[in-house]
Structures are given as C-alpha cells and as structure tokens.
Amino acid sequence: MLKLYFAPLTRSIRIKWLLEELDIAHEIVPVAFNRDGSRGFAQNTPTGKFPYIEDGDVGLSESGAIVQYILDHYGDGRLQPPIGSPARAAYLYWLHYSEGTAAQPINTIVWLTVYRDDAEKHQAIIEAMRTSADHIFDEVEQTVSKQPFLAGDELTGADIMMGFTLWSAKMLGVLSDQHPNTVQFLKRLASRPAFEKALVESRRLK
Ligand SMILES: N[C@@H](CCC(=O)N[C@@H](CS)C(=O)NCC(=O)O)C(=O)O
C-alpha cells in the first residue's frame, strides 16, 4: 500500500488531499516536524523533508512530482487534462508555478516569522516578499475571475498544488480580501471533503 510520510501543517497535506480526492487506499506514516531553525531539511524522512511517499520500490519527494506520479499511476485520467488537450498548458503552468514561483516569497516569510525569533530585524525583506506575493495573487485573481479552476472548468492537481500555497498564505495573513476572487477560490477548494480530511489528519497529528 502507498505510504505517505506526514507531518502536520506541511506540504504533506497536498498529497493526503489528492489521495482522498482519488479515493486511493494509503497508509499515513506520522513523523513529528523538527522545528530546529538552524538546520534545513533535517526531517526524519528519507530525504529530510515533507512530503515523501513510498510506493513499492519507488521513494519520492517533491510535492509536484508526487502529484504527477500519483495521477499517472492511479488517476485513470482524473484531475489532469489529457496530454495535447487545450487545458494541458495551463495545468502544467500552475502545477509548477506553486513551487517554482509562488513558494519563494511565502517560504521566506515563514522562515523569518515562524522559525526564527528576530523577525523585527528583517522587516524590509518581509515587506518585499509581501509585494512579490501580491503579484502572485494578482495572477491567480485574473485567472479565477474568468473560470472556476486554474486550468478551466474542472479541478486538477494544479489546484491542489496552488490550493495549499494559498491556504498557507491565508494562515500567515499574507492573502487578504484585496484579492476577493482568490479568497473565494480558496474557500471553494477548502470546502471539498477531501481537503477537509487532509486537514483533520493534520490536526490529529499536531
Ligand atoms: N519543493 C518541495 C519543498 C519541500 C519542503 O520544503 N517541505 C517542508 C515542509 S512543507 C520541509 O520538509 N522542510 C524541512 C525543513 O525545513 O527542515 C516540495 O514541494 O515538496
């Protein structure tokens, strides 16, 4: 059975959410998050970070790679537009945008405000990162004011990737009502039973 190494409030939530959307049997391996801010990627998983999955001989990190792996192996065509279809480019764009572009300012804000205790010394960096995050939300806003999901009319793995990013940004107070369609989009995603199950797991292991 597919195993997911899971720590609360981490990107493991994306994978649990996806597994629940697809109704795939899986085992959660609970691992406590090591909050030692002086060392990066020192988590008690084979790659030192979350998420991590084991599926037979395959061991994999990187949430975007895991999402695509699970969709390719177990999706049966669900939650991704077919290769060559018009929505495929937007799907790939947002699937990779979440970690390739959007994560950078959010990660920096988390690092400076949650893991360290000297945020007041880094206000200029935090403000610059908030401005970058606003540009990111502008782009999401434009997209979800035209269509219900990032790649069109249907939920895809790209929404799961960006959904977690937006959820983290909302929790941090970085995403606000200045981006009303983005906030509504997040509400639509967060009300999905599969997302709620992922959050229940996160709370249970806290
Ligand atoms: N781009 C990676 C980022 C992985 C990552 O940074 N995960 C965090 C938790 S959300 C982590 O495990 N950090 C470990 C650490 O900072 O020690 C992904 O999408 O999986």
Side-chain angles (χ1 to χ4, degrees):
M1 190 185 294
L2 189 148
K3 283 188 190 167
L4 169 62
Y5 289 63
F6 190 103
L9 298 176
T10 67
R11 289 164 172 84
S12 322
I13 288 174
R14 284 181 177 141
I15 310 307
K16 173 74 177 161
W17 177 6
L18 175 65
L19 291 166
E20 293 293 345
E21 290 282 356
L22 294 172
D23 201 17
I24 296 171
H26 59 277
E27 180 188 332
I28 295 288
V29 181
V31 182
F33 192 81
N34 173 8
R35 292 177 74 90
D36 178 358
S38 64
R39 294 175 63 209
F41 303 118
Q43 305 302 320
N44 197 12
T45 69
T47 54
K49 55 186 178 164
F50 298 97
Y52 181 83
I53 62 160
E54 280 171 8
D55 187 30
D57 293 341
V58 173
L60 199 58
S61 261
E62 281 304 321
S63 53
I66 296 172
V67 166
Q68 193 61 54
Y69 171 87
I70 290 173
L71 291 178
D72 288 350
H73 282 75
Y74 303 108
D76 268 334
R78 290 170 293 167
L79 301 190
Q80 61 172 333
I83 293 173
S85 67
R88 184 74 180 184
Y91 164 73
L92 291 174
Y93 179 76
W94 289 108
L95 182 78
H96 291 280
Y97 186 96
S98 55
E99 286 299 307
T101 297
Q104 192 262 330
I106 310 283
N107 283 351
T108 306
I109 295 170
V110 170
W111 176 253
L112 292 175
T113 63
V114 179
Y115 293 118
R116 298 175 57 98
D117 50 16
D118 58 354
E120 68 289 346
K121 288 189 196 155
H122 303 289
Q123 284 310 312
I125 299 175
I126 292 169
E127 273 317 303
M129 293 299 112
R130 280 180 173 271
T131 304
S132 296
D134 275 339
H135 286 302
I136 286 157
F137 305 144
D138 289 346
E139 203 173 331
V140 176
E141 185 77 7
Q142 278 186 2
T143 305
V144 297
S145 49
K146 290 182 301 208
Q147 57 197 40
F149 297 105
L150 292 170
D153 292 335
E154 309 284 341
L155 179 86
T156 69
D159 298 297
I160 291 178
M161 288 296 291
M162 275 305 288
F164 175 80
T165 306
L166 296 174
W167 179 77
S168 314
K170 189 85 173 58
M171 300 262 290
L172 277 173
V174 177
L175 171 63
S176 73
D177 290 341
Q178 283 176 352
H179 293 92
N181 291 305
T182 307
V183 170
Q184 278 310 316
F185 169 57
L186 175 60
K187 279 190 184 153
R188 278 202 300 287
L189 295 177
S191 67
R192 297 183 71 86
F195 179 83
E196 283 170 4
K197 281 184 190 161
L199 272 201
V200 165
E201 193 70 40
S202 182
R203 288 196 201 103
R204 188 177 73 84
L205 296 174
K206 215 168 153 200

